[in-house]
């Protein structure tokens, strides 16, 4: 009888977990695979986030895999097409690349969560807008970075300049005053088209616009031409090469080696400047790119990253929880402090107010914009007609004629095959 009772117990247990084993007291753990880019977050930050997230979400386990930017576009495309079980469930992507990946219903539509839970209306426009495809929100803003003016306090003092420019005309006046005695008022490469884009947006212009589903280049609009004219006037107050961009040669080296009063760059470039010229320690200052209106920063290109969820994930709800946590106020502000980024909401800018460069960047980010929201924009940048247009104008060609030619090339590049 005893043997029969033991057998019955064994059969009953087998229904759960096999003879001789008690049922598992914990739920099955699900793994959320997260692809983040190299240098986007410190390992210490990721370790703390992982530990706390797993503690607060019983049954979930994070597998964070750091990726390199080189070749990431094709790698993400392949992951979105693949049915592999070990594929990513959350991916960090460049904010201007969301439309490319969203095309073809390959990302999860997060519009509802964005509006209901995450405060979409408060996000920085330069991150939120390129995260949309059509009227849906696919990319969730994570962090931002944008250009500011880095200046030399000592050269400002020597020129008798005691206050920072509050609008674009004051900026021109100050820069002209600095551009004397062998000093460059500003080093601005002739093909720095991201900076030009900000000037165009500040005038109310666009690089391209969509009409009836067709994209058209608009560098030849009156507003865009005014932006180019301001660029021409500012660029002339220094010795920046008219036929190359800010990386050829790297402007950090030019600023470190010469008597250059200003450059337009992300604040993080100061580290490279000081590494090459430690004597500038304490002499670097920052202010937002001035706008047309006094006291209001000018429009700037906002770079940064969004988080997306592939449509093929089999842990959708868990992936959404990861996105919510990383982009939420607590972890977003901690990331900004740790990495000197701009948080994803203007209301969180106070979290980086004690860092001068980041504070200037955050002020400008409120006027941030992004490149046109079409998956074909990468084709424009691949054979960039904007750079050629800028060089021709800066070497004396007729702006209207060259703008029309460049706008036509942009239209052709944006046409779908």
């Amino acid at each position: 009888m005893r043997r029969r009772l033991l057998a019955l117990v064994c059969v009953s247990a087998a229904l759960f977990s096999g003879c001789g084993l008690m049922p598992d007291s914990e739920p099955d753990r699900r793994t959320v695979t997260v692809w983040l880019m190299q240098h986007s977050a410190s390992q210490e930050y990721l370790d703390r986030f992982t530990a706390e997230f797993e503690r607060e979400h019983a049954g979930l386990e994070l597998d964070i895999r750091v990726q390199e930017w080189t070749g990431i576009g094709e790698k993400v495309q392949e992951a979105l097409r693949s049915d592999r079980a070990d594929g990513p469930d959350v991916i960090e992507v460049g904010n201007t690349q969301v439309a490319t990946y969203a095309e073809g219903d390959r990302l999860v539509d997060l519009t509802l969560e964005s509006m209901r839970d995450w405060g979409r209306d408060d996000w920085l426009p330069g991150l939120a807008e390129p995260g949309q495809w059509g009227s849906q929100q696919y990319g969730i803003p994570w962090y931002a970075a944008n250009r500011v003016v880095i200046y030399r306090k000592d050269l400002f003092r020597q020129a008798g300049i005691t206050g920072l420019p509050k609008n674009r005309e004051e900026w021109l006046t100050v820069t002209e005053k600095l551009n004397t005695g062998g000093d460059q008022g500003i080093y601005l490469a002739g093909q720095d088209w991201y900076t030009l884009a900000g000037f165009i947006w500040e005038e109310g212009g666009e690089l391209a616009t969509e009409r009836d589903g067709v994209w058209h280049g608009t560098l030849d609009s009156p507003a865009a031409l005014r932006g180019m004219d301001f660029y021409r006037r500012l660029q002339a107050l220094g010795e920046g090469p008219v036929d190359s961009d800010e990386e050829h040669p790297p402007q950090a080296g030019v600023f470190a080696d010469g008597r250059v009063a200003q450059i337009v760059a992300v604040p993080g470039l100061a580290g490279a400047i000081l590494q090459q010229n430690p004597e500038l320690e304490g002499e670097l200052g920052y202010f937002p790119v001035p706008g047309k209106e006094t006291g209001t920063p000018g429009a700037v290109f906002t770079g940064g990253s969004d988080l997306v969820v592939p449509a093929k994930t089999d842990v959708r709800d868990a992936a959404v929880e990861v996105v919510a946590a990383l982009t939420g106020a607590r972890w977003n502000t901690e990331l900004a402090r740790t990495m000197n980024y701009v948080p994803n909401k203007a209301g969180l800018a106070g979290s980086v107010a004690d860092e001068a460069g980041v504070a200037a960047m955050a002020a400008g980010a409120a006027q941030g914009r992004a490149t046109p929201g079409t998956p074909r924009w990468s084709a424009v940048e691949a054979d960039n007609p904007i750079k050629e247009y800028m060089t021709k104008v800066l070497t004396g060609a007729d702006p209207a004629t060259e703008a029309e030619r460049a706008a036509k090339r942009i239209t052709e590049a944006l046409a779908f095959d």
Side-chain angles (χ1 to χ4, degrees):
M1 176 64 70
R2 186 177 179 184
R3 290 193 184 96
R4 291 177 61 191
L5 288 174
L6 287 173
L8 287 173
V9 170
C10 188
V11 170
S12 298
L15 296 175
F16 295 100
S17 56
C19 184
L21 299 176
M22 294 299 292
D24 194 349
S25 60
E26 294 185 2
D28 291 338
R29 295 185 67 81
R30 292 178 296 161
T31 299
V32 183
T33 301
V34 183
W35 282 10
L36 299 180
M37 301 308 301
Q38 190 176 35
H39 306 310
S40 287
S42 68
Q43 189 59 50
E44 185 269 341
Y45 171 92
L46 295 177
D47 289 343
R48 285 192 296 113
F49 174 79
T50 298
E52 182 156 328
F53 183 87
E54 292 181 348
R55 185 166 58 249
E56 294 178 348
H57 297 78
L60 294 184
E61 185 174 282
L62 294 186
D63 178 13
I64 296 179
R65 304 180 184 182
V66 177
Q67 310 293 317
E68 295 185 359
W69 283 107
T70 302
I72 191 61
E74 181 54 38
K75 190 171 184 178
V76 171
Q77 296 281 23
E78 175 60 27
L80 296 178
R81 291 190 295 262
S82 175
D83 291 320
R84 289 178 55 179
D86 62 346
D89 304 298
V90 176
I91 308 175
E92 175 193 350
V93 301
N95 62 319
T96 62
Q97 299 169 341
V98 175
T100 301
Y101 301 136
E103 188 180 22
D105 298 322
R106 292 179 296 169
L107 299 179
V108 171
D109 180 358
L110 298 171
T111 306
L112 176 60
E113 291 85 351
S114 300
M115 299 177 66
R116 183 190 62 198
D117 306 323
W118 299 340
R120 184 173 77 168
D121 291 343
D122 297 328
W123 288 336
L124 297 175
L127 292 180
E129 292 173 3
Q132 298 173 9
W133 173 240
S135 59
Q136 280 72 49
Q137 190 79 42
Y138 293 98
I140 307 306
W142 193 24
Y143 66 83
N146 51 267
R147 288 161 174 76
V148 302
V149 182
I150 304 177
Y151 72 98
R152 279 184 55 171
K153 298 177 183 179
D154 56 337
L155 296 186
F156 270 57
R157 287 194 303 269
Q158 292 170 24
I161 299 169
T162 57
L164 298 175
K166 298 181 178 64
N167 57 50
R168 292 204 319 191
E169 289 306 314
E170 288 187 10
W171 192 20
L172 283 174
T173 301
V174 164
T175 304
E176 186 173 9
K177 192 173 183 179
L178 291 162
N179 193 45
T180 57
D183 295 343
Q184 294 186 57
I186 190 169
Y187 179 86
L188 185 60
Q191 295 183 349
D192 185 352
W193 72 275
Y194 283 123
T195 296
L196 170 64
F199 297 163
I200 290 174
W201 292 327
E202 182 68 9
E203 291 288 351
E206 302 287 348
L207 302 177
T209 58
E210 184 183 16
R211 296 194 303 271
D212 299 325
V214 179
W215 283 89
H216 301 269
T218 53
L219 289 179
D220 53 345
S221 72
L225 286 168
R226 290 195 299 270
M228 182 65 229
D229 186 62
F230 180 80
Y231 191 100
R232 178 189 60 78
R233 294 165 65 194
L234 185 66
Q235 197 272 341
L237 299 175
E239 300 173 9
V242 297
D243 58 352
S244 62
D245 60 27
E246 66 276 18
E247 289 301 321
H248 300 89
Q251 62 178 345
V254 177
F255 190 83
D257 292 342
R259 292 181 62 83
V260 175
Q262 305 171 91
I263 56 173
V264 180
V266 294
L269 201 66
I273 294 169
L274 293 174
Q275 187 175 30
Q276 296 177 64
N277 187 354
E279 293 182 4
L280 292 179
E281 183 72 46
E283 295 294 349
L284 300 184
Y286 314 85
F287 59 87
V289 173
K292 294 180 67 176
E293 301 297 326
T294 298
T296 302
V300 289
F301 171 76
T302 299
S305 288
D306 285 10
L307 300 179
V308 300
V309 176
K312 291 189 175 183
T313 178
D314 57 0
V315 288
R316 180 195 186 284
D317 292 344
V320 169
E321 288 291 330
V322 173
V323 172
L326 282 171
T327 62
R330 180 196 167 182
W331 289 104
N332 196 245
T333 53
E334 286 206 27
L335 180 72
R337 293 191 196 101
T338 301
M339 303 300 294
N340 289 337
Y341 294 143
V342 177
N344 59 11
K345 293 181 178 179
L348 300 176
S351 65
V352 293
D354 57 347
E355 172 57 48
V358 184
M361 188 165 60
Q367 310 298 322
R369 296 282 304 276
T371 50
T374 163
R376 292 287 298 170
W377 185 254
S378 58
V380 175
E381 294 191 24
D383 183 31
N384 201 322
I386 305 174
K387 289 186 173 183
E388 182 179 335
Y389 157 63
M390 296 171 73
T391 294
K392 288 186 176 179
V393 172
L394 295 176
T395 52
D398 177 61
T401 300
E402 297 304 329
E404 184 178 1
R405 182 178 290 115
K408 182 178 179 181
R409 287 178 58 191
I410 291 175
T411 301
E412 292 170 349
L414 294 179
F416 285 93
D417 297 331

